[in-house]
Amino acid sequence: MSTATVEETDAHDGGTSGAMHERVLEAVGIAIASAKLPPGSRLTLEGLQQEYKISRTVARDTMKVLESMNLVYSRRRVGIVVQEREHWNVFDPKLVRWRLASDRREVQYSSLTELRIAVEPIAAAGAARRASADERAQLLALSRDLRRLGEAGDLQNFLAADIEFHQLLLRSCGNEMFRALEGMVAEVLTSRTQQGLMPFKPRNEALQAHEDVAAAVAGGDTATAERAMHHILDEVREAMGLR
């Protein structure tokens, strides 16, 4: 793995241990997610210290995070070993981000879009049943923001509003397992924008579908909320060229 980015960045910011930890974690995480470090690869704290010019504490903390995500495991007299993919915590937002930053992003987008299709329409219907009055009002306000920002081509602020819209649906649907996907959805939406996979101006059909979801949730119309969310995700799948 190349360490140029890590080392050059630290030369400019003084290399605080927290910032260095995040950069090394990102570098090793992406290497694992992209299979540059395939399952079975062995790592050592000493090797990380030498490659990234870091302290043993930073190397150990980095491995602790990766182990908590089931990306690696430690064995005495064996060292630190990259896990097989079936053991990974694939819903962890950090791993989602790393996989979307790798050359395997198309497979990840496909998997995540299929997951969203399975979950978010049901979440929209749940929000129509269970959202509070304040949450319903917030969704309506966000749908108006999305229309205004989308038509203005303000993608950064559109992204922030879009993330809040989808996360609010997951929070307000009354299903704690769906709510746990908030971070994952935020990473997917962010990645699409950062990688230039969003049109300069979102399609009118997508803006209208968000307004339809918000109106249906506000009115307690579960069937329309579910159907409109399916429409949003069908548009995503088509825009991404996913089958």
Side-chain angles (χ1 to χ4, degrees):
M1 293 178 292
S2 171
T3 63
T5 300
V6 172
E7 293 172 359
E8 287 169 6
T9 304
D10 273 334
H12 293 291
D13 70 7
T16 63
S17 60
M20 175 60 90
H21 165 72
E22 289 301 322
R23 281 191 290 276
V24 176
L25 179 63
E26 192 89 355
V28 179
I30 291 174
I32 293 173
S34 65
K36 291 179 182 176
L37 283 174
S41 298
R42 295 189 181 186
L43 303 168
T44 64
L45 296 181
E46 293 77 11
L48 290 172
Q49 287 178 259
Q50 293 176 8
E51 181 167 1
Y52 293 103
K53 306 298 186 288
I54 55 176
S55 69
R56 189 173 185 84
T57 298
V58 172
R60 185 171 57 247
D61 289 347
T62 299
M63 288 301 102
K64 283 181 179 178
V65 174
L66 294 174
E67 191 165 11
S68 74
M69 299 168 64
N70 290 331
L71 294 182
V72 302
Y73 65 90
S74 300
R75 290 290 183 273
R76 187 174 297 179
R77 294 189 294 275
V78 174
I80 303 161
V81 183
V82 177
Q83 287 264 33
E84 296 293 334
R85 289 177 179 270
E86 58 263 29
H87 298 296
W88 293 3
N89 181 6
V90 294
F91 295 112
D92 190 295
K94 288 189 292 295
L95 179 55
V96 170
R97 182 172 70 249
W98 297 338
R99 295 179 77 181
L100 290 174
S102 76
D103 55 9
R104 300 173 63 88
R105 66 177 60 89
E106 186 173 341
V107 173
Q108 177 72 342
Y109 274 127
S110 181
S111 295
L112 291 169
T113 301
E114 288 179 358
L115 176 64
R116 293 183 66 196
I117 290 170
V119 168
E120 290 194 64
I122 303 302
R129 293 189 191 94
R130 306 183 186 102
S132 68
D134 283 346
E135 289 167 335
R136 295 172 199 268
Q138 288 177 47
L139 277 172
L140 286 170
L142 284 166
S143 72
R144 291 192 293 269
D145 287 343
L146 288 171
R147 169 68 68 179
R148 174 176 55 82
L149 295 167
E151 290 180 347
D154 185 351
L155 285 187
Q156 286 306 312
N157 286 315
F158 179 90
L159 170 63
D162 198 26
I163 288 172
E164 179 58 23
F165 183 94
H166 289 273
Q167 289 187 326
L168 181 55
L169 275 175
L170 293 170
R171 287 197 301 272
S172 63
C173 73
N175 185 313
E176 69 277 9
M177 291 189 177
F178 289 178
R179 181 171 185 166
L181 300 177
E182 281 186 60
M184 177 273 290
V185 170
E187 290 296 343
V188 175
L189 296 173
T190 299
S191 178
R192 284 188 66 197
T193 298
Q194 291 180 343
Q195 294 183 26
L197 299 175
M198 286 286 289
F200 176 69
K201 288 188 177 183
R203 294 171 56 185
N204 180 67
E205 293 88 339
L207 297 174
Q208 184 62 55
H210 282 78
E211 291 172 334
D212 292 344
V213 169
V217 169
D221 185 343
T222 58
T224 299
E226 182 174 346
R227 186 166 56 250
M229 184 55 72
H230 266 298
H231 187 72
I232 290 173
L233 293 167
D234 286 343
E235 189 274 336
V236 170
R237 182 162 54 181
E238 181 181 346
M240 296 295 295
L242 303 174
R243 297 181 178 179

